[in-house]
Amino acid sequence: EAATPPAPETGPSPAYLALARLGREDHRLALSADDCAALEAQAAEWLARGVTVDYLTSALTAGIPAEVSSPVGLLRRRLTAKLPPYLPPTTVRPSRAAPAVRVLVECTECGTPGPPEALPDGLCRP
């Protein structure tokens, strides 16, 4: 009977790596490998909702208390409480037309407003 070759390892997920790097961003958030594995699914949900790893890191590291007794507990709570809403891909969202921009200038002598082409050199036409 032939032994099946082991599946090639793809390495840690982006969510796991983001969690593992938190300790480098702020030493109060240093996690163990087991902690990262325990929180990985929650962090992956954030990434599935379209946020970037940088956004996830910023959301988890912003406003950390001076003392953190349980980094895994704090991060579990933040991953749940700050979970962003699901947004459909931007291609699905109808785009709004940009509002028209009108530029008006004033005559430098009398202050009469008008479009720039009507006020050459910043002065009213006689």
Side-chain angles (χ1 to χ4, degrees):
E1 185 173 317
T4 57
E9 290 191 29
T10 57
S13 73
Y16 181 96
L17 291 174
L19 293 167
R21 290 185 183 120
L22 288 175
R24 292 185 182 169
E25 293 286 325
D26 191 311
H27 69 280
R28 295 171 290 180
L29 297 179
L31 298 172
S32 70
D34 286 343
D35 293 340
C36 291
L39 297 175
E40 183 177 11
Q42 284 181 281
E45 177 63 26
W46 280 59
L47 300 178
R49 291 178 180 228
V51 303
T52 64
V53 169
D54 288 340
Y55 180 93
L56 173 64
T57 301
S58 295
L60 295 178
T61 58
I64 298 173
E67 287 191 38
V68 177
S69 59
S70 173
V72 69
L74 174 74
L75 293 171
R76 180 178 287 117
R77 179 176 166 90
R78 285 183 170 214
L79 284 165
T80 302
K82 293 185 168 192
L83 182 66
Y86 173 78
L87 294 175
T90 54
T91 55
V92 175
R93 183 176 57 189
S95 62
R96 291 189 204 167
V101 177
R102 283 185 64 192
V103 177
L104 292 178
V105 294
E106 291 182 354
C107 174
T108 55
E109 287 184 355
C110 70
T112 302
E117 57 275 2
L119 298 166
D121 299 321
L123 299 171
C124 294
R125 291 192 177 150

